[in-house]
Amino acid sequence: MYDLVIVGGGPAGVAAAVYAARKRLKTLLIVEEWGGQSNVSVDVQNWIGTPSITGIDLAKNFRTHVEKYKDNFLEILFPARAASLEPSEQSVTVILKDGKRHEAKALLIASGARRRQLEIPGAKEYDQKGLTYCASCDGPLFADKDVAVVGAGNAGFETALQLLAYCKSVTLLTRGDSFKADEVTVAAATANPKMRVIKNAELLGVVGEQFVTGLRWKSKENGKEETLPVEGIFVEIGLLPNTEWIGKALEMTEFNQIKVDPKTQRTWHPRIWAAGDATDGLYHQNNIAAGDAVKALEDIYMSLRRSQPERP
């Protein structure tokens, strides 16, 4: 029986594992992939304490850091994939894809999320060659360039606001004739003279040479096809939480994000916590995921210590 099982090898999972090891909780860290979503970023510039690092190197640093604590208290399973979950009043059991079962007094879910992919011709070919899913990570690389944003929700307009600070121009394209974003956010972005919005746009393909040079689209109103000349394309069409393996064991939002108490990161189940992009937190970034995981770990530690009998 472990004190704690942690599922996830991104910033949340690794941060929690380091803290758990330092507190000498008997912990099992289950990792399918190191690094989380930033693993595909060419240049991460917002990881605190590190001005610039590739996503691959950041993932390596995560692994190196947590493996320094690997001992009698911390065990790491890699590669391993959680397949299902069986909670009870006294413990939680995680079942892996290979059928092995691991029981603990507490569970921290940090399985993250994946970006909803843009599925048009050229999108895969130019991924990380001008097309990106992380403005916070890659945005500054496009300073003084013309860029496009795909997506009309809050994430799309917030990305546009961020890019407007340093890009030459920002064009946001949406397939509908209205926006899903808050009116205040839309107003702030569209007030900028460098901002352009194209509604009723059907995306046809990403074009380029070695890197992106444009985005082909067709007007749903008149059927006219055009190529928007841009050097960067930022895709913000939603996140897909990696929570399918949880099934109906926990309370979820309509978007399959785990509902947590923001003060403690605890779920409705008293022995399960969650942190990072798998949760219903308002914002999702590497630093936020790590902070939420540390918050969860502190609460887990206190919860486990309170449940232990007093020494004579």
Side-chain angles (χ1 to χ4, degrees):
M1 169 86 72
Y2 294 95
D3 290 323
L4 173 65
V5 167
I6 301 170
V7 177
V14 168
V18 169
Y19 270 69
R22 291 173 62 86
K23 290 178 180 296
R24 296 196 166 190
L25 295 178
K26 184 173 176 56
T27 302
L28 174 66
L29 175 63
I30 299 171
V31 179
E32 182 176 5
E33 180 183 33
W34 296 100
Q37 293 178 60
S38 292
N39 196 39
V40 299
S41 295
V42 176
D43 189 10
V44 178
Q45 298 183 355
N46 64 339
W47 182 246
I48 300 303
T50 306
S52 177
I53 189 172
T54 67
I56 292 176
D57 286 339
L58 181 61
K60 289 179 180 177
N61 287 355
F62 285 167
R63 182 174 184 176
T64 299
H65 192 174
V66 75
E67 285 185 342
K68 284 186 176 296
Y69 287 93
K70 186 177 179 180
D71 57 14
N72 292 333
F73 290 99
L74 176 62
E75 180 183 345
I76 301 172
L77 285 182
F78 171 75
R81 182 174 184 175
S84 60
L85 178 62
E86 291 181 1
S88 69
E89 292 185 6
Q90 301 301 321
S91 66
V92 183
T93 300
V94 175
I95 300 93
L96 302 184
K97 187 178 180 180
D98 62 9
K100 293 182 179 178
R101 302 167 64 90
H102 299 282
E103 187 179 10
K105 300 173 185 175
L107 168 67
L108 173 62
I109 299 171
S111 49
R114 58 198 184 276
R115 298 278 181 173
R116 189 184 297 276
Q117 301 294 298
L118 183 62
E119 297 182 354
I120 60 174
K124 291 183 179 180
E125 290 80 354
Y126 290 99
D127 193 344
Q128 300 306 310
K129 296 179 181 179
L131 185 146
T132 177
Y133 294 86
C134 184
S136 297
C137 308
D138 304 327
L141 300 174
F142 296 85
D144 302 318
K145 299 183 185 296
D146 296 309
V147 301
V149 175
V150 178
N154 280 325
F157 276 94
E158 288 168 2
T159 290
L161 283 170
Q162 178 180 333
L163 297 172
L164 285 166
Y166 41 77
C167 290
K168 183 179 179 181
S169 72
V170 177
T171 301
L172 184 145
L173 299 94
T174 175
R175 63 195 307 175
D177 59 3
S178 61
F179 309 125
K180 296 180 180 179
D182 298 332
E183 291 183 8
V184 173
T185 307
V186 173
T190 54
N192 192 305
K194 297 192 296 182
M195 179 75 177
R196 176 190 179 197
V197 174
I198 300 177
K199 298 180 180 179
N200 297 305
E202 179 184 349
L203 302 185
L204 302 178
V206 178
V207 296
E209 296 176 359
Q210 186 176 358
F211 297 96
V212 167
T213 60
L215 178 61
R216 291 178 52 243
W217 66 281
K218 180 176 70 173
S219 172
K220 291 183 178 181
E221 296 176 342
N222 56 31
K224 183 180 178 181
E225 296 185 13
E226 294 186 34
T227 297
L228 179 68
V230 291
E231 294 182 64
I233 300 172
F234 292 82
V235 182
E236 290 291 350
I237 54 177
L239 288 174
L240 297 173
N242 297 320
T243 57
E244 296 90 345
W245 63 280
I246 297 171
K248 297 182 179 180
L250 297 176
E251 186 177 358
M252 304 278 195
T253 68
E254 59 182 310
F255 305 109
N256 293 321
Q257 296 170 315
I258 303 168
K259 291 185 178 182
V260 297
D261 178 349
K263 290 184 178 180
T264 62
Q265 301 300 126
R266 194 189 294 240
T267 71
W268 72 269
H269 193 283
R271 293 188 176 273
I272 303 177
W273 288 253
D277 289 5
T279 74
D280 64 346
L282 183 58
Y283 301 107
H284 296 106
Q285 291 186 17
N286 281 345
N287 293 296
I288 294 172
D292 283 349
V294 172
K295 185 199 310 180
L297 198 284
E298 294 289 353
D299 196 60
I300 290 168
Y301 179 78
M302 294 304 298
S303 177
L304 291 176
R305 288 295 171 261
R306 284 194 297 265
S307 65
Q308 289 184 352
E310 295 184 5
R311 294 183 179 180

